[in-house]
Amino acid sequence: MTSFRLLFGIFVVGLAAVLLLSLLPLEVPLWFTALGLALFAGLMAGLILGKRTVGGSQHLPRTRQEGASAGSATTDFSSQLLDATLNEMREGLLVIDHEMRVVASNQTARGLFSNVDDSVISRRLTELTRNPAIYDAFLDAVRGRERVGVKVETHGRARQVFDLRVVPLRTANGRGVSGAVGVFFDVTRLERLEVVRQEFLSNVSHELRTPLTSIIALAETLEAGAIDDIENNRRFLSIIQKNAARMHRLIDDILELGAIEAGNVKLKPEIVPLWPLLEDVVHSLSTTAGARSVTVHNMVSQDAEVFADPHRLVQMLTNLIENGIKFNREGGTVSITHSGDTCDRIQVADTGEGIPPHHLDRLFERFYRADRARSRELGGTGLGLAIVKHLAKAHDGEVTVDSQFGEGTQFTIELPRKSVD
């Protein structure tokens, strides 16, 4: 009984190692070593399960039929356990023989072949896929060459990207190859994040380059003698100050958005009287509104209350109202209203030119602008709406937009209703 417990313990440890290592981006040889250990331990446990130990001595089955039944039960159990282990892996596993026919696969690997409805066992690899990257990697492995880091793309319901690693299965004497084993690591999310990172760096570089170029050019002009030009030197200094302030706002917004996305911003929600808070926001933007002859109407009931972090709510409303002023028509209006049933809704509507429909889906992305030239002219960083979106999510709410091109735009912040404990 002690031997059984020891070997069964080895099996469990090996199996746990496979499940753990399958979640980590380790090199293939180490992964297969762990898998081999689990399978070896499983076979040893199966041999022990086929026998019975009583009082330290082995007790053989009394009849041949009983022995066959016990062995069959052990085989079925081991097979089911192995199938369950392989099918729970996030990575796709595909095994072929020297004739390029599939001899084993798990559920993830079968999901890669969208044109296959029935079993893949004994089918040639060319029947399953026409992807040359997959075929060439397995063909090289059958010829004895290991392939690592093969990029594979699939275009089913959604585009997926895999890092394929294939190793040859060598014969017992090590002189030949009996097949190959391939593991498909899903790197779709990593690929998408890399694209986002590159776009972000490109956008930041572009946004900083424009004001920085202006600052350098004007500084050189002043240094070359324009500082004594009474008619223009103050104008040049004013432009330098304006561009420096724009860079400062951009950096502040980048840091702010990064902190919100990383979850480092701690909210302190409370019951907030909405009308006086909006009055403070409208007053702070009165100069901006006056410069464009835009009238801001606070149409919220004086007894309206919402459950939110006051500082972050001011930040969201300031961004939306300021956008409503900047992108409005000369002499237009911005109206703020409130409604609520299952949740609180704060609407900020303007009478501007509206936003074309094809821009609406991407409006809350970082640095996305429906009108790039006008946004930069007005001093926008392109991050305000992204900050509003993430702050609304941090409140377990959301922000939406509804716009009719040529008629105006309305943003709605939805906040869940809660009561103070």
Side-chain angles (χ1 to χ4, degrees), residues 16-322:
V18 173
L19 292 175
L20 178 60
L21 291 173
S22 69
L23 301 177
L24 302 175
L26 300 176
E27 294 297 325
V28 172
L30 181 58
W31 190 92
F32 280 110
T33 300
L35 180 59
L37 173 63
L39 295 178
F40 173 76
L43 291 174
M44 294 300 295
L47 293 175
I48 297 298
L49 285 171
K51 302 175 183 179
R52 295 181 181 180
T53 305
V54 178
S57 62
Q58 293 179 348
H59 175 67
L60 298 177
R62 285 175 291 182
T63 66
R64 186 175 300 175
Q65 182 178 3
E66 181 182 347
S69 176
S72 176
T74 301
T75 302
D76 290 344
F77 173 76
S78 300
S79 177
Q80 292 173 4
L81 189 58
L82 179 60
D83 287 343
T85 302
L86 295 179
N87 286 324
E88 287 301 319
M89 290 170 48
R90 292 187 303 174
E91 293 77 17
L93 181 67
L94 190 67
V95 184
I96 64 169
D97 61 17
H98 66 285
E99 295 181 345
M100 302 289 284
R101 293 184 181 274
V102 177
V103 296
S105 65
N106 67 353
Q107 186 173 349
T108 304
R110 292 190 291 273
L112 301 179
F113 309 117
S114 57
N115 60 327
V116 178
D117 298 326
D118 52 0
S119 174
V120 300
I121 301 301
S122 298
R123 300 181 65 172
R124 290 188 180 276
L125 195 57
T126 50
E127 297 179 44
L128 305 180
T129 178
R130 297 292 182 181
N131 192 316
I134 298 177
Y135 185 83
D136 291 344
F138 277 95
L139 183 60
D140 283 349
V142 169
R143 292 172 177 172
R145 296 194 298 269
E146 181 176 334
R147 292 285 298 273
V148 177
V150 179
K151 184 177 179 180
V152 175
E153 295 187 33
T154 62
H155 299 276
R157 300 180 198 173
R159 176 180 175 270
Q160 288 182 288
V161 183
F162 295 89
D163 180 14
L164 173 60
R165 305 181 181 186
V166 189
V167 295
L169 288 176
R170 302 192 180 276
T171 55
N173 57 19
R175 297 178 182 176
V177 176
S178 60
V181 179
V183 181
F184 296 81
F185 295 89
D186 190 347
V187 293
T188 307
R189 185 170 180 271
L190 293 177
E191 187 94 355
R192 189 179 301 116
L193 290 175
E194 178 62 19
V195 172
V196 171
R197 185 187 70 85
Q198 291 176 357
E199 289 181 352
F200 176 74
L201 291 176
S202 175
N203 285 326
V204 169
S205 300
H206 183 74
E207 294 295 334
L208 289 174
R209 186 184 297 115
T210 303
L212 190 58
T213 300
S214 178
I215 290 172
I216 293 173
L218 290 173
E220 290 175 348
T221 302
L222 290 170
E223 187 180 30
I227 194 168
D228 297 322
D229 184 352
I230 300 176
E231 294 182 2
N232 294 304
N233 56 9
R234 288 189 176 277
R235 182 171 63 87
F236 290 166
L237 289 173
S238 176
I239 296 173
I240 290 175
Q241 185 180 25
K242 178 182 176 181
N243 281 283
R246 176 181 169 186
M247 292 175 64
H248 189 273
R249 286 196 303 271
L250 177 62
I251 293 171
D252 282 348
D253 283 351
I254 291 172
L255 295 175
E256 178 79 4
L257 184 58
I260 296 170
E261 289 181 331
N264 295 329
V265 172
K266 303 300 180 184
L267 300 182
K268 297 179 180 180
E270 59 185 67
I271 298 295
V272 180
L274 188 56
W275 189 86
L277 182 143
L278 276 168
E279 283 294 295
D280 290 340
V281 173
V282 172
H283 179 72
S284 68
L285 296 171
S286 59
T287 302
T288 305
R292 296 189 55 81
S293 300
V294 173
T295 304
V296 182
H297 298 292
N298 180 3
M299 303 173 67
V300 172
S301 171
Q302 295 194 17
D303 59 356
E305 295 178 332
V306 295
F307 187 78
D309 183 308
H311 172 66
R312 297 302 175 180
L313 183 57
V314 166
Q315 191 174 359
M316 288 189 286
L317 291 172
T318 299
N319 274 326
L320 294 182
I321 296 172
E322 187 174 23

Side-chain angles (χ1 to χ4, degrees), residues 401-414:
V401 59
D402 181 27
S403 183
Q404 298 295 325
F405 189 57
E407 298 181 10
T409 302
Q410 176 177 286
F411 288 92
T412 302
I413 299 174
E414 294 189 4

